[in-house]
Amino acid sequence: MKIRRSLKALKDRPGSAVVRRHGKVLVINKQNPRWKARQA
């Protein structure tokens, strides 16, 4: 699956991680939860 540019931009924020759950690609960030994103 291709990763969207918007998710790649969020991946570079401090404290964020790219995770695959249930076939979806998520960007989670524990330091700043405002930077969450999902690609279905």
Side-chain angles (χ1 to χ4, degrees):
M1 175 185 276
K2 283 187 178 178
I3 305 294
R4 256 193 234 150
R5 294 294 296 162
S6 55
L7 296 186
K8 284 187 178 181
L10 286 174
K11 174 183 69 90
D12 296 334
R13 306 268 185 168
S16 63
V18 177
V19 182
R20 289 198 70 172
R21 290 183 188 161
H22 309 290
K24 297 177 176 68
V25 178
L26 308 172
V27 175
I28 56 174
N29 194 325
K30 301 229 171 163
Q31 287 183 16
N32 195 341
R34 195 176 63 187
W35 291 329
K36 285 191 291 193
R38 176 179 75 104
Q39 176 180 318

